[in-house]
């Protein structure tokens, strides 16, 4: 089984599954075609995530989730233009974005489960940490990180506001599956953890909570703001102003001082 085959199957699923549509919003499609990347389970960056300054000593390596692990398949689902554009106004989150955040996460789970099924049907083992009972968050630190996995799998780099900036932008959702299928690792076309972020500072001005500064994002302030949206928009919540109407919304922004080619 090759990564191209998995990409084709997931792309077809994204464009045909009713789970990727919202009947309440005129059949709005939440996600566009996915990006997939592969990390080797033995990549030397994984053990570094155990440093408390990166994630946490509770972080579980791929081989902790699956002792026979060979590869990690990371996927990024970019929001459709309709979802992204709807959230470009300042202030409250758009209804489309709220569905993308909540129903969208249900779809991320469906995509991960589909990957697991495809791998198992071909005789491989597979674990999807998102739905694994061993997944834990202790003091805001999870023992698995979709963003760091996607970084190692060549999908993109972390940004000032701690999103992942892929070649399809930052507005979207991430997931990953660990398997003993031995796939070639995707080349990382970057050297720095935040290389795709231009540090333009637009997301600082976009944030309604003041959670972002030139030093990064204050997760506690962001979480507190998301809680206020939860009370306002039961049963949904969300914000995403730092991922919309910003230069990294749908692609890698030009670096400051760079000229158009
Ligand atoms: S808006 Fe600018 S500073 Fe903020 S994450 Fe995007 S590129 Fe980086
Ligand atoms: S999600 Fe909203 S509150 Fe949180 S950092 Fe982004 S813009 Fe600020």
């Amino acid at each position: 089984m090759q990564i191209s085959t998995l990409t084709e199957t997931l792309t077809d699923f994204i464009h045909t599954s009713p789970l990727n549509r919202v009947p309440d919003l005129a059949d709005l499609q939440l996600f566009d075609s996915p990006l997939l990347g592969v990390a080797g389970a033995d990549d030397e960056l994984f053990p570094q995530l155990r440093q408390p300054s990166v994630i946490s000593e509770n972080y579980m390596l791929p081989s902790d989730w699956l002792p026979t692990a060979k590869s990690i398949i990371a996927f990024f689902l970019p929001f459709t233009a309709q979802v992204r554009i709807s959230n470009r106004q300042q202030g409250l989150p758009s209804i489309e974005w709220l569905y993308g955040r909540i129903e969208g996460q249900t779809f991320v789970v469906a995509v991960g489960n589909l990957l697991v099924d495809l791998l198992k049907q071909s005789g491989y083992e597979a674990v999807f940490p998102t739905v694994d009972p061993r997944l834990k968050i202790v003091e805001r630190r999870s023992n698995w990180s979709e963003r760091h996995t996607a970084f190692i799998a060549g999908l993109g780099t972390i940004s000032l506001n701690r999103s992942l900036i892929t070649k399809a932008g930052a507005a979207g959702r991430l997931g990953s599956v660990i398997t003993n299928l031995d796939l070639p690792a995707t080349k990382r076309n970057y050297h720095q953890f935040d290389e795709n972020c231009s540090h333009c500072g637009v997301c600082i001005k976009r944030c309604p909570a003041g959670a972002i500064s030139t030093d990064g994002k204050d997760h506690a302030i962001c979480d507190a703001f998301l809680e206020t949206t939860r009370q306002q928009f039961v049963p949904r919540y969300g914000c995403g102003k730092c991922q919309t109407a910003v230069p990294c919304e749908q692609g890698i922004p030009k670096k400051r001082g760079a000229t158009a080619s």
Side-chain angles (χ1 to χ4, degrees), residues 110-189:
V111 169
N113 285 336
L114 174 61
L115 263 180
V116 169
D117 288 346
L118 290 168
L119 290 160
K120 287 189 171 174
Q121 282 161 16
S122 296
Y124 298 102
E125 296 176 82
V127 170
F128 182 25
T130 292
V131 296
D132 192 293
R134 292 172 292 174
L135 185 73
K136 284 192 178 56
I137 298 175
V138 178
E139 293 174 354
R140 295 182 193 279
R141 302 289 176 113
S142 173
N143 56 0
W144 184 247
S145 165
E146 302 301 355
R147 279 176 310 140
H148 290 83
T149 303
F151 175 92
I152 297 171
L155 282 182
T157 80
I158 313 289
S159 75
L160 181 70
N161 64 51
R162 303 300 179 248
S163 301
L164 189 92
I165 303 180
T166 72
K167 66 182 183 185
R173 307 287 301 163
L174 291 161
S176 57
V177 166
I178 304 163
T179 177
N180 64 347
L181 167 62
D182 199 358
L183 291 164
T186 305
K187 185 177 180 322
R188 290 191 283 273
N189 292 319

Side-chain angles (χ1 to χ4, degrees), residues 2 30 44 61 88-89 104 106 125 127 135 139 156 176 179 216 225 248:
Q2 297 182 332
L30 294 174
E44 61 187 15
L61 297 172
R88 284 182 183 168
Q89 89 285 4
T106 302
E125 296 176 82
V127 170
L135 185 73
E139 293 174 354
S176 57
T179 177
F225 181 78
C248 55

Side-chain angles (χ1 to χ4, degrees), residues 161 203 206-212 217-218 221-223 225-226 238-243:
N161 64 51
C203 57
R206 287 278 293 160
C207 178
I212 310 168
K217 176 166 109 171
D218 185 317
I221 294 176
C222 174
D223 288 351
F225 181 78
L226 291 177
C239 172
K241 299 300 175 185
C242 53
Q243 295 178 358

Side-chain angles (χ1 to χ4, degrees), residues 36-87:
L36 270 71
V38 177
D42 58 356
D43 194 298
E44 61 187 15
L45 291 183
F46 281 114
Q48 294 183 26
L49 303 183
R50 277 191 161 154
Q51 294 171 17
S53 60
V54 185
I55 298 183
S56 152
E57 56 195 14
N58 295 321
Y59 176 80
M60 285 172 64
L61 297 172
S63 58
D64 295 328
W65 294 96
L66 179 68
T68 57
K70 291 263 182 12
S71 313
I72 299 87
I73 303 168
F75 59 87
F76 175 74
L77 309 184
F79 284 127
T80 55
Q82 213 176 333
V83 174
R84 287 187 285 101
I85 291 168
S86 71
N87 202 45

